[in-house]
Amino acid sequence: MAIIEVSNLKKSFGAAEVLKDISFNVNKNEVIAIIGPSGSGKSTMLRSLVQLEKIDGGSIAVDGDYLVKDGVYPSQQETKRITSRMGMVFQHFNLFPHLTVKENLELAPKIVKKEASEGLKNRTEELLGKIGLAGHVNSYPAKLSGGQKQRVAIARALMMDPAILLFDEPTSALDPELTGEVLQVMKKLAEEHMTMLVVTHEMGFAREVADRVIFMDNGEIIESGPPSEIFANPRNERTKAFLTRSFK
């Protein structure tokens, strides 16, 4: 069953056409890796799913409700209701530097869901334990490594209890030795059947963890399929060329 349905998505920045008639579905509990060269429209497409980018044409439905239909958005209240089903993890963490790890995790539930501090305490401790940072509840972001910051960012997204997690190149700002600890958390989420869309340059992760791989280039979906097909026997010459460069 499709939990996200994207059809004929179009987006331009001035004269530059960034998304060209993008269509795909995401099934519940599916992990999709979105790969492709820089500037291919991957991040713009992902950001449009949570209305961080407004599209110019096409439709996005989340669990049967239209976030945008034929380029027309519903009310702000309805948009917030629909996008609240999704959590976003960014490339550069976006943690509040003046707040502790605990405060970073609990801010959105308090403001958006009006949850009380006492009720959040157990969930905060549980998620920090899950990502291996139980001892950092009162640490400030400046005291954390890049990998630790990104794991906190994942926990912060999970605090809102999303049905879907979106990752926009979550390891590209990290040193190689820190990348593994973030990917390990993401693998664990995949094993727990979290629905995930991951824009990534980590081909090993895409091949090992994803149920499906989407290859984008020049604002288009060139091909998609199981990792075994995309990596072992890509049909399109552009996919072949990209993968050859990626594995050099």
Side-chain angles (χ1 to χ4, degrees):
M1 176 188 160
I3 195 168
I4 298 177
E5 298 169 272
V6 176
S7 55
N8 309 115
L9 218 60
K10 298 176 179 69
K11 173 70 178 177
S12 296
F13 293 115
E17 200 177 4
V18 183
L19 299 177
K20 305 171 184 175
D21 209 32
I22 295 283
S23 296
F24 67 96
N25 288 349
V26 181
N27 294 319
K28 190 175 181 182
N29 307 133
E30 191 175 28
V31 178
I32 295 183
I34 303 158
I35 64 172
S38 297
S40 58
K42 305 184 302 295
S43 291
T44 301
M45 185 274 290
L46 197 74
R47 289 167 64 87
S48 72
L49 299 180
V50 284
Q51 214 201 357
L52 291 173
E53 299 286 357
K54 278 202 167 187
I55 63 162
D56 302 321
S59 302
I60 300 169
V62 181
D63 213 8
D65 293 327
Y66 279 101
L67 173 65
V68 54
K69 187 172 185 181
D70 299 324
V72 179
Y73 287 86
S75 67
Q76 188 175 7
Q77 185 178 0
E78 179 69 357
T79 298
K80 281 184 177 178
R81 185 183 71 81
I82 295 168
T83 56
S84 70
R85 299 169 190 170
M86 296 175 278
M88 184 96 174
V89 179
F90 298 91
Q91 181 179 349
H92 292 291
F93 327 129
N94 291 7
L95 299 177
F96 292 105
H98 63 291
L99 299 181
T100 65
V101 166
K102 180 179 187 294
E103 290 165 341
N104 265 285
L105 263 61
E106 296 181 359
L107 183 65
K110 284 179 181 176
I111 292 175
V112 178
K113 293 188 171 182
K114 312 298 183 192
E115 293 187 45
S117 298
E118 193 53 43
L120 292 170
K121 183 174 179 288
N122 288 343
R123 199 151 89 248
T124 298
E125 291 174 354
E126 180 187 342
L127 282 174
L128 288 178
K130 184 175 183 174
I131 62 169
L133 291 174
H136 292 274
V137 64
N138 293 315
S139 299
Y140 286 90
K143 298 293 185 183
L144 304 177
S145 70
Q148 289 172 328
K149 288 176 187 174
Q150 193 59 294
R151 283 186 279 158
V152 171
I154 293 170
R156 179 181 59 182
L158 291 169
M159 283 292 287
M160 295 296 284
D161 198 26
I164 304 154
L165 271 184
L166 312 178
F167 294 84
D168 189 8
E169 301 194 14
T171 60
S172 62
L174 301 178
D175 294 332
E177 63 268 24
L178 300 176
T179 295
E181 63 190 50
V182 174
L183 293 179
Q184 203 55 46
V185 171
M186 294 169 66
K187 285 177 188 176
K188 192 172 181 181
L189 290 172
E191 288 166 3
E192 294 170 357
H193 307 295
M194 170 63 76
T195 307
M196 296 160 61
L197 275 79
V198 186
V199 171
T200 184
H201 291 293
E202 296 291 334
M203 296 300 119
F205 174 86
R207 185 154 54 182
E208 182 186 343
V209 180
D211 299 299
R212 185 156 40 110
V213 176
I214 292 175
F215 172 68
M216 288 183 66
D217 191 16
N218 195 29
E220 300 174 292
I221 291 179
I222 305 304
E223 66 177 297
S224 69
S228 56
E229 288 182 12
I230 296 294
F231 288 106
N233 191 30
R235 298 185 302 274
N236 190 282
E237 289 302 320
R238 279 196 273 178
T239 314
K240 289 178 186 176
F242 172 77
L243 292 173
T244 299
R245 291 194 302 272
S246 297
F247 284 107
K248 271 187 177 177

